[in-house]
RNA sequence: GGCAGGAUAGCUCAGGGGUAGAGCGGAGGAUUCAUAAGCCUUAGGUCCGGAGUUCAAAUCUCCGUCCUGCUACCA
């Protein structure tokens, strides 16, 4: 079983392209694993509790439950538009989740891993945390970023993080695959150093925060984000589920192969808190998931005249440059957006969002290269052999080379996809398609069609072209599933929809295949000036 | 301040001790099966700066500069 998760998004605003990227990346990986024949469980969802939701709802004059429902709809709608095919949907207000969270809290409390302590200090409402002197400006005031700050004398519950840090340190040292890509490991090691000796505050008094899950052993408190949101990875996988529950079978799913997260939540929340929580709950070293850490989409800068210029800026509401994924899909289509989001970023690194590149990549790689190949191949098959591929004994060096290139492509594709390096895998497929276009020029089937003595060669060339399109449609399926389906419909080869990667070899289309009338699968995007 | 990542063609980036690479964009050409797509040719670079190691450095080492992120602010 290949179980993968994404971060669950905070329901305090509409999804933007960064949210969309993570979910598409996970979707591509999930679909790739299915193509490999794995059983896959893809879990994503939303984090609905917390002070900011409570406050925003109040401002809107609705109760938090209503507010959260509305914002959640925005997410599910966006994911539908992007064609995400997830198996589980995590909502932290779900009663099943609450039950699981409370069960875990009660047990850890009974085991003495959670204790109560008084703390006096200054509290930032906006950031939902206590501040220390190190957050003060030189003149003793707190910086603006903390918002309203008030003095508090509070009792709270703490999780004995310090009991597990020693174990975590060893675990991280001895497990090279814990953090992907590897260069992120240093951040984790540093963060562990800093975390040593401190425990984790896991509660908020109810008079401050009502919108959360009650502590089972003290109803004056709700649990803070950690023992709520992070638990979703196991609660919705069926951990400690009740008899007759619809949740999946936990033993089948756990451990997750990867938690897909952004670089902003690697430390301390996932690498330290969550991993120590798992250890405290009782999971062993081989039941700890790896963390796949992706980068961010920044926004490409443009000159005033729209010309390309170096540099980028962060996406932010104040700069007014937030990119709405739903609007993008409405304008350019699901395939263009999905393709761009995993093609133009190297997993783990940052990239700059640029609409011109989105359009450019779609037009050059999908429309011109693959779409046009599909179109010309089917068109000539229709025109020169009645739309049916015909057996032929003709063979030559270029045909052999094209067939041989498939092995190179498959090797490269698998190697990169297995490491979640989608952009490099796509590069390999594009090379293959481009090679097929070159192959067509080498043989010029539109010329040899006029020469009756070359019918055998013509048939071989057409077979090779159609076959290459079929192969590409399978390899690209994880990224652009709906377009690939349309290609396969034109090829009249629905059986390709269920073929596995291991069964992919030259000749997946039978001789005598009757293809349909071609229709552009990727209409070129024309930008209005 | 510490740690990490980055700096290579107009743009996006690969690569990595031995003649600088790809895609896109630009310029030119031969074509017409095709989505004005495809194919061929071509121009463009002090590989951030400096020093060192080496027969040889874009690559390794050191010292800087600039950008990004995380994190910490002690005398």
């Amino acid at each position: 079983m290949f179980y993968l998760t994404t971060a669950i998004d905070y329901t305090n605003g509409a999804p933007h392209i960064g949210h969309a990227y993570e979910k598409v990346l996970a979707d591509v990986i999930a679909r790739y694993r299915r193509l490999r024949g794995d059983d896959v469980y893809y879990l994503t969802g939303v984090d609905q509790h917390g002070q900011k939701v409570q406050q925003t709802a109040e401002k809107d004059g609705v109760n938090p439950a209503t507010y959260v429902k509305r914002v959640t709809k925005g997410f599910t709608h966006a994911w539908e538009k992007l064609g995400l095919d997830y198996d589980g949907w995590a909502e932290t207000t779900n009663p099943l989740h609450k039950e699981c969270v409370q069960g875990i809290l009660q047990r850890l409390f009974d085991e003495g891993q959670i204790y109560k302590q008084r703390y006096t200090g200054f509290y930032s409402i906006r950031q939902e945390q206590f501040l220390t002197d190190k957050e003060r400006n030189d003149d003793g005031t707190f910086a603006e970023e903390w918002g309203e700050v008030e003095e508090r004398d509070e009792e709270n519950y703490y999780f004995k993080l310090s009991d597990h840090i020693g174990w975590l340190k060893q675990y991280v040292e001895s497990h090279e695959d814990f953090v992907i890509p590897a260069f992120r490991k240093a951040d984790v090691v540093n963060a562990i150093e800093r975390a040593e000796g401190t425990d984790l505050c896991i509660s908020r008094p109810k008079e401050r925060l009502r919108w959360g899950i009650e502590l089972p052993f003290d109803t004056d408190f709700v649990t803070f984000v950690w023992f709520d949101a992070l638990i979703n990875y196991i609660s919705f996988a069926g951990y400690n589920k009740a008899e007759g529950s619809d949740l999946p079978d936990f033993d089948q799913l756990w451990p997750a192969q990867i938690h897909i997260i952004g670089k902003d939540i690697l430390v301390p929340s996932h690498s330290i808190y969550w991993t120590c929580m798992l250890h405290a709950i009782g999971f062993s070293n081989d039941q700890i998931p790896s963390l796949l850490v992706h980068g961010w989409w920044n926004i490409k800068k443009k000159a005033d005249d729209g010309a390309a210029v170096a540099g980028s800026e962060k996406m932010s509401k104040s700069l007014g440059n937030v990119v709405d994924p739903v609007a993008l899909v409405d304008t350019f289509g699901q395939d263009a957006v999905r393709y761009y989001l995993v093609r133009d970023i190297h997993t783990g690194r940052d990239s700059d969002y640029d609409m011109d590149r989105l359009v450019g990549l779609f037009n050059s790689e999908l429309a011109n290269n693959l779409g046009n190949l599909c179109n010309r191949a089917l068109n000539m098959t229709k025109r020169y052999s009645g739309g049916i591929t015909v057996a032929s004994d003709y063979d030559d060096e270029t045909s052999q080379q094209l067939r041989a290139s498939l092995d190179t492509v498959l090797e490269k594709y698998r190697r990169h996809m297995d490491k979640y390096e989608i952009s490099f895998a796509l590069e390999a497929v594009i090379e293959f398609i481009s090679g097929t276009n070159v192959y067509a020029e080498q043989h010029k089937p539109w010329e040899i069609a006029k020469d009756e003595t070359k019918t055998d060669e013509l048939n071989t060339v057409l077979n090779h072209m159609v076959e290459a399109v079929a192969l590409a449609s399978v390899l690209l399926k994880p990224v652009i599933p709906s377009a690939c389906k349309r290609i396969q419909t034109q090829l009249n080869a629905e059986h390709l929809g269920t073929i596995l990667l291991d069964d992919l070899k030259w000749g997946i289309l039978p001789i005598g295949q009757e293809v349909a009338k071609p229709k552009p699968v990727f209409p070129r995007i024309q930008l209005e000036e």
Side-chain angles (χ1 to χ4, degrees):
Chain A
M1 175 64 78
F2 194 96
Y3 173 38
L4 76 165
T5 70
T6 68
I8 53 175
D9 300 314
Y10 198 56
T11 50
N12 194 35
H16 57 64
I17 196 176
H19 296 114
Y21 166 55
E22 180 175 286
K23 274 63 191 173
V24 169
L25 173 64
D27 194 58
V28 170
I29 294 169
R31 287 173 187 270
Y32 169 69
R33 299 307 305 205
R34 291 190 197 111
L35 185 62
R36 285 198 47 171
D38 292 340
D39 275 332
V40 172
Y41 197 88
Y42 170 17
L43 177 72
T44 187
V46 283
D47 173 15
Q48 299 169 311
H49 286 131
Q51 201 145 27
K52 272 177 255 181
V53 161
Q54 183 180 312
Q55 283 171 342
T56 315
E58 269 166 23
K59 224 185 290 169
D60 281 19
V62 294
N63 67 46
T66 309
Y67 174 77
V68 144
K69 214 170 184 179
R70 193 171 71 208
V71 178
T72 298
K73 223 173 193 171
F75 279 90
T76 51
H77 177 243
W79 301 162
E80 198 186 323
K81 283 256 177 186
L82 282 161
L84 301 190
D85 183 15
Y86 44 84
D87 303 282
W89 177 250
E91 291 186 358
T92 52
T93 56
N94 186 322
L96 296 173
H97 173 69
K98 179 180 162 185
E99 216 169 282
C100 181
V101 165
Q102 290 184 327
I104 289 168
L105 285 169
Q106 184 66 55
R107 220 189 74 214
L108 294 182
F109 183 72
D110 292 343
E111 292 171 2
Q113 299 213 54
I114 291 173
Y115 64 91
K116 195 177 190 181
Q117 197 178 48
R118 173 170 295 275
Y119 186 85
T120 306
F122 291 91
Y123 186 85
S124 159
I125 293 169
R126 183 188 295 172
Q127 299 293 336
E128 298 187 52
Q129 61 169 275
F130 277 100
L131 305 176
T132 60
D133 286 344
K134 65 197 180 197
E135 270 97 33
R136 283 181 197 272
N137 294 327
D138 293 341
D139 60 1
T141 60
F142 289 103
E144 205 176 309
E145 72 212 58
W146 301 107
E148 190 186 339
V149 173
E150 59 183 32
E151 193 168 9
R152 282 190 190 183
D153 177 22
E154 255 180 32
E155 287 194 298
N156 266 309
Y157 286 88
Y158 290 80
F159 164 60
K160 280 191 183 168
L161 188 70
S162 52
D163 279 3
H164 303 280
I165 284 288
W167 164 81
L168 179 64
K169 208 170 180 174
Q170 284 203 322
Y171 180 81
V172 171
E173 284 309 324
S174 56
H175 290 77
E176 284 306 315
D177 285 347
F178 176 51
V179 182
I180 308 163
F183 71 81
R184 292 273 173 214
K185 184 179 164 181
D187 288 340
V188 175
V189 172
N190 290 343
I192 291 174
E193 297 290 327
R194 288 192 300 273
E196 255 164 337
T198 61
D199 284 337
L200 180 64
C201 183
I202 60 154
S203 69
R204 290 291 182 271
K206 247 186 189 169
E207 63 262 24
R208 302 284 180 208
L209 176 63
R210 284 168 289 109
W211 186 240
I213 298 174
E214 226 169 51
L215 296 188
F217 42 81
D218 190 339
T219 54
D220 289 338
F221 292 85
V222 298
T223 187
F224 186 53
V225 56
W226 318 120
F227 271 86
D228 183 348
L230 291 171
I231 299 278
N232 93 85
Y233 299 136
I234 57 176
S235 65
F236 288 95
Y239 180 71
N240 273 356
K241 68 172 175 178
E243 233 13 80
S245 156
D246 287 339
L247 290 171
D249 184 355
F250 187 71
D251 294 334
Q252 298 273 310
L253 260 57
W254 201 258
Q257 254 62 39
I258 42 167
H259 291 313
I260 300 179
I261 58 173
K263 61 179 184 174
D264 54 325
I265 54 173
L266 172 63
V267 293
S269 66
H270 279 78
S271 59
I272 306 222
Y273 302 162
W274 174 236
T275 311
C276 285
M277 283 164 65
L278 286 170
H279 188 242
I281 291 167
F283 292 103
S284 62
N285 281 8
D286 49 10
Q287 292 177 303
I288 305 294
S290 294
L291 304 173
L292 175 60
V293 185
H294 64 75
W296 283 356
W297 283 95
N298 299 312
I299 303 298
K300 182 90 179 83
K301 276 188 189 162
K302 290 271 161 169
D304 291 339
D305 60 358
V309 63
S312 65
E313 55 196 17
K314 263 190 182 173
M315 183 163 44
S316 79
K317 277 183 187 167
S318 52
L319 283 170
N321 60 6
V322 176
V323 180
D324 173 8
V326 174
L328 274 190
V329 172
D330 285 340
T331 311
F332 301 116
Q334 184 196 106
D335 297 314
V337 177
R338 284 179 65 106
Y339 189 77
Y340 175 71
L341 284 179
V342 291
R343 174 71 179 94
D344 209 29
I345 191 168
H346 298 302
T347 310
R349 302 194 182 266
D350 289 357
S351 188
D352 298 331
Y353 170 77
D354 180 2
M355 191 184 72
D356 290 337
R357 281 188 67 80
L358 187 158
V359 173
L361 279 167
F362 177 87
N363 280 346
S364 85
E365 295 188 352
L366 293 182
N368 296 352
N369 213 345
L370 173 59
N372 186 52
L373 174 66
C374 180
N375 211 38
R376 65 198 303 210
L378 294 194
N379 207 290
M380 286 191 279
T381 303
K382 203 93 197 158
R383 182 177 303 204
Y384 304 138
S385 69
I388 299 170
T389 60
V390 179
S392 159
D393 289 335
Y394 179 89
D395 199 9
D396 62 16
E397 205 183 327
T398 57
S399 303
Q400 281 163 22
Q401 279 168 357
L402 182 64
R403 297 198 300 272
S405 75
L406 176 65
D407 294 333
T408 318
V409 173
L410 284 175
E411 186 279 321
K412 203 172 163 188
Y413 176 85
R414 287 187 93 118
R415 178 158 47 85
H416 288 299
M417 288 301 277
D418 284 346
K419 291 192 285 183
Y420 316 117
E421 297 165 345
I422 320 295
S423 55
F424 294 117
L426 287 175
E427 224 171 70
V429 180
I430 293 303
E431 253 173 69
F432 175 67
I433 297 164
S434 191
T436 309
N437 272 317
V438 172
Y439 172 79
E441 300 294 334
Q442 286 166 339
H443 288 273
K444 302 193 194 316
W446 53 92
E447 274 181 19
I448 54 180
K450 297 168 190 160
D451 184 343
E452 280 173 18
T453 66
K454 290 184 174 172
T455 306
D456 274 351
E457 180 182 352
L458 174 67
N459 286 332
T460 291
V461 171
L462 292 181
N463 289 349
H464 278 63
M465 289 176 70
V466 173
E467 174 75 12
V469 171
L471 289 163
S473 80
V474 175
L475 292 174
L476 292 175
K477 208 171 59 161
V479 177
I480 43 172
S482 84
C484 288
K485 197 171 177 182
R486 273 178 277 140
I487 292 174
Q488 289 165 3
T489 302
Q490 290 191 24
L491 292 173
N492 218 346
E494 265 77 9
H495 74 281
L496 295 181
T498 52
I499 199 169
L500 296 182
L501 187 58
D502 280 341
D503 298 329
L504 218 55
K505 47 181 160 298
W506 199 269
I508 55 173
L509 281 186
I511 295 299
Q513 177 80 15
E514 181 165 8
V515 298
K517 195 178 170 212
K519 184 183 165 207
V521 177
F522 306 101
R524 275 178 67 86
I525 298 171
Q526 303 287 354
L527 281 183
E528 289 171 25
E529 284 305 320

